Amino acid sequence: MKSHNLKLYNTLSRQKEDFQAINPPFVGLYVCGPTVYGDAHLGHARPAITFDTVNRYLTHLGFRVRYVRNITDVGHLQGDADEGEDKIAKKAKLEQLEPMEIAQQYTDSYHRDMALLNTWKPNIEPRATGHIPEQIALVEAILKEGLAYEVNGSVYFDTLKYNERTPYGRLSGRVIDELMSGSRDLDGQSEKRNSVDFALWKNAAPEHLMKWDSPWGMGFPGWHLECTAMSSKYLGTHFDIHGGGMDLMFPHHECEIAQGNACNHKDPVNYWMHNNMITINGQKMGKSLGNFITLQELFQGKHDLLEQAYSPMTIRYFILTAHYRSTLDFSNDALQAAQKGYKKIINGLRIARELKFEGNADVTLDEDQIRQIESSIQSAYRAMDDDFNTAQAIGHLFNLLKKINSMFTGQLQSASLGETVFNKLIETFTKFVVDILGLTEEKSDVQDQMLELMLKLYSEAKTARNYDKVDQIRAGLKGMGFVVKDMKDKIDWAYEE
């Protein structure tokens, strides 16, 4: 593994901590995935890209990451509560389909959108419905510890009794007395002993579509239970990193900590990481506000709030230009700026891949340029080592991009850097853009062939001094997002920024 002093912000301790893997070089990473009852939206994109980048950087450093991201296909009730209708079952009734048809349809569409955003597939993607026996066994273990109780075929976690042994609310900073006093009196309206208790297993009414047999009768697992069951199965009862959106911190992740401690008498996770929320033009995203934008609407530009379509890589780049723990506001101005930034980076990537070292014994080394390059490289790594600060890392990549562009235009000679520094510059820029940040060039083979043909026609028209044709070809390419560049020794193109 590469020697790096990687620090990450641990929500549990509320401070940055040195990252120490439990069993290096192996790292266990669990991230809460989607509840599959609708198309993926901006709120799904941020954690997917955030923890994809975490996975990529840990892998770059030499760790062997087992990345587990679940699919919630049962147990997530309306309002994230313990009462009400299952979100997937409700959608199934509306569309007159089986719940598993809904789950499959939206799992497939989620995978499609995540692939467009160039996120790596998780090593394991367990589904809640595929782990019912594990969840039942977990409920039995908590009951055996005396930290749960059964009422009319439902089983609830006894939060107050658990709190006597281990403080509840450490992750979110909630105090159980305040939670108790701040909740509505549910006497006569709920089976729970206390309002802060949560469902581990729910008794299913006869008309409930998704239910399984259990020691307590026909029912279904509570939403919080599945992540504890699946993370412990694939990563063990004590693993390295658990990630997710800040909206899951309470109660979902708080309940996971309680469930893990109840069974195993220890915290299940060393580091809790949470990405912050997304706003649209300064407002929280919500269907009632009319600013709920799916990823496909973004990619196609089909929403009243959008002035144009924004490509998947523009969205990925935009999310990376903010630190994952900061609020991220989507607006047309911000996205258009991100589109320009992304194209500059990709133009630089094309150039970097084409540049060759040209040694010249008569050229002396430019120590000042070398120091600047070395400093930018070190700073880019320091940014990533400081809690995966992609925003700062991108800033340092633009400093490297200036050097790459200067070599392309001939203002800077590669010989003045020396072959070692030249290779390090090209390798670092390429690895950061492609391997760590996960940015790719959005151009098809057909576009490659079209560009090659158009540049050939452009060259022929220029040689023949047919300047009307030259202008026509240049304007046509510009309309498709490409700019013709007349170089000293060749004709090239770039993405229009």
Side-chain angles (χ1 to χ4, degrees):
M1 291 183 294
K2 298 175 184 178
S3 177
H4 278 255
N5 183 26
L6 176 62
K7 290 180 178 290
L8 55 83
Y9 184 87
N10 190 349
T11 310
L12 191 61
S13 66
R14 292 168 181 73
Q15 62 185 11
K16 291 179 186 177
E17 299 178 8
D18 291 330
F19 176 68
Q20 298 289 336
I22 295 169
N23 184 28
F26 302 99
V27 171
L29 170 63
Y30 186 92
V31 176
C32 290
T35 300
V36 283
Y37 69 105
D39 287 318
H41 51 73
L42 286 173
H44 293 115
R46 193 170 197 191
I49 290 169
T50 293
F51 293 104
D52 178 61
T53 308
V54 170
N55 185 13
R56 285 171 176 272
Y57 191 61
L58 289 171
T59 301
H60 175 73
L61 295 184
F63 289 103
R64 293 180 60 183
V65 182
R66 175 177 285 179
Y67 178 24
V68 182
R69 185 184 66 205
N70 72 296
I71 294 289
T72 296
D73 55 0
V74 69
H76 196 170
L77 306 186
Q78 293 291 316
D80 300 345
D82 287 334
E83 305 293 336
E85 197 168 8
D86 185 289
K87 292 183 177 184
I88 292 171
K90 182 179 180 180
K91 185 77 169 181
K93 287 178 183 177
L94 286 172
E95 299 195 11
Q96 296 184 316
L97 295 171
E98 284 290 326
M100 285 300 98
E101 285 184 272
I102 292 295
Q104 190 62 53
Q105 174 186 333
Y106 289 113
T107 298
D108 289 345
S109 69
Y110 176 78
H111 288 158
R112 171 202 63 199
D113 291 343
M114 294 307 106
L116 290 171
L117 291 170
N118 197 33
T119 62
W120 286 352
K121 293 179 181 179
N123 300 98
I124 302 172
E125 191 175 52
R127 297 187 183 210
T129 54
H131 296 76
I132 299 298
E134 290 87 349
Q135 293 178 79
I136 290 173
L138 187 59
V139 176
E140 291 178 318
I142 296 173
L143 279 166
K144 189 176 180 180
E145 287 286 333
L147 295 175
Y149 55 92
E150 186 262 336
V151 182
N152 300 325
S154 294
V155 182
Y156 296 96
F157 191 89
D158 194 333
T159 306
L160 290 184
K161 192 171 182 181
Y162 166 80
N163 189 64
E164 294 172 3
R165 194 177 86 179
T166 308
Y168 179 80
R170 291 178 295 131
L171 182 69
S172 59
R174 310 290 177 100
V175 178
I176 199 161
D177 290 340
E178 293 176 1
L179 289 171
M180 291 284 290
S181 62
S183 58
R184 191 163 48 89
D185 184 6
L186 296 174
D187 286 347
Q189 301 178 41
S190 173
E191 301 170 325
K192 299 179 184 180
R193 291 177 184 170
N194 297 286
S195 59
V196 291
D197 295 346
F198 57 90
L200 298 172
W201 185 267
K202 286 290 291 181
N203 178 52
E207 67 275 12
H208 198 88
L209 295 175
M210 306 172 78
K211 53 193 174 187
W212 292 262
D213 196 12
S214 78
W216 318 283
M218 295 298 291
F220 56 92
W223 174 39
H224 312 305
L225 190 69
E226 63 177 270
C227 286
T228 297
M230 292 187 287
S231 63
S232 59
K233 176 169 183 173
Y234 297 110
L235 298 176
T237 57
H238 184 214
F239 58 94
D240 296 290
I241 303 172
H242 193 314
M246 194 173 286
D247 57 323
L248 296 177
M249 189 190 308
F250 185 87
H252 188 55
H253 291 161
E254 200 74 75
C255 293
E256 283 190 61
I257 291 176
Q259 290 166 165
N261 266 294
C263 288
N264 305 304
H265 300 268
K266 62 184 177 184
D267 276 353
V269 180
N270 276 359
Y271 306 93
W272 286 88
M273 295 181 65
H274 292 91
N275 63 273
N276 211 324
M277 297 293 95
I278 284 173
T279 56
I280 311 289
N281 297 319
Q283 284 187 309
K284 184 179 178 181
M285 185 173 69
K287 289 183 179 178
S288 62
L289 297 172
N291 64 358
F292 183 88
I293 306 176
T294 69
L295 292 177
Q296 283 298 313
E297 287 172 335
L298 264 172
F299 301 157
Q300 298 169 26
K302 294 182 178 179
H303 193 283
D304 290 343
L305 292 177
L306 299 175
E307 295 177 4
Q308 63 176 79
Y310 298 100
S311 73
M313 285 299 99
T314 297
I315 301 302
R316 183 178 181 104
Y317 176 84
F318 178 62
I319 287 174
L320 293 171
T321 56
H323 190 273
Y324 75 89
R325 287 192 288 114
S326 64
T327 303
L328 183 61
D329 186 55
F330 274 73
S331 67
N332 282 284
D333 287 346
L335 287 169
Q336 286 162 14
Q339 187 177 56
K340 290 180 181 179
Y342 159 70
K343 287 182 177 180
K344 286 179 180 178
I345 288 284
I346 293 302
N347 280 331
L349 180 64
R350 287 188 60 251
I351 294 169
R353 285 170 166 167
E354 293 174 3
L355 284 176
K356 305 294 181 188
F357 179 74
E358 297 177 356
N360 188 335
D362 296 330
V363 177
T364 56
L365 293 179
D366 190 329
E367 297 296 341
D368 188 46
Q369 293 282 0
I370 291 171
R371 276 194 298 272
Q372 290 175 25
I373 291 168
E374 292 281 8
S375 175
S376 293
I377 291 173
Q378 291 169 13
S379 296
Y381 273 108
R382 274 198 300 271
M384 289 303 295
D385 289 340
D386 184 14
D387 194 29
F388 306 97
N389 196 329
T390 54
Q392 286 187 9
I394 287 172
H396 298 301
L397 287 186
F398 271 102
N399 289 333
L400 296 180
L401 179 57
K402 290 177 185 175
K403 307 302 181 188
I404 290 169
N405 286 333
S406 292
M407 283 188 283
F408 182 64
T409 58
Q411 293 172 292
L412 176 65
Q413 290 184 294
S414 57
S416 67
L417 303 179
E419 190 168 9
T420 300
V421 173
F422 170 82
N423 289 337
K424 190 175 181 181
L425 164 62
I426 300 301
E427 180 184 0
T428 302
F429 185 83
T430 303
K431 280 189 177 295
F432 259 84
V433 172
V434 177
D435 297 340
I436 297 173
L437 300 181
L439 298 170
T440 61
E441 193 173 356
E442 294 177 316
K443 181 166 58 65
S444 66
D445 291 339
V446 173
Q447 284 178 310
D448 272 334
Q449 294 167 12
M450 180 272 295
L451 276 168
E452 185 178 343
L453 174 60
M454 295 297 282
L455 290 181
K456 183 171 182 273
L457 293 173
Y458 179 90
S459 179
E460 290 172 354
K462 192 174 180 184
T463 301
R465 298 188 177 183
N466 185 351
Y467 297 118
D468 286 343
K469 189 71 171 176
V470 167
D471 292 342
Q472 184 182 5
I473 294 172
R474 182 184 288 275
L477 285 171
K478 186 175 182 180
M480 291 184 283
F482 304 106
V483 177
V484 178
K485 291 198 167 187
D486 292 296
M487 311 296 290
K488 288 181 180 179
D489 56 347
K490 64 176 180 177
I491 295 169
D492 205 350
W493 65 270
Y495 293 102
E496 185 181 21
E497 298 171 6

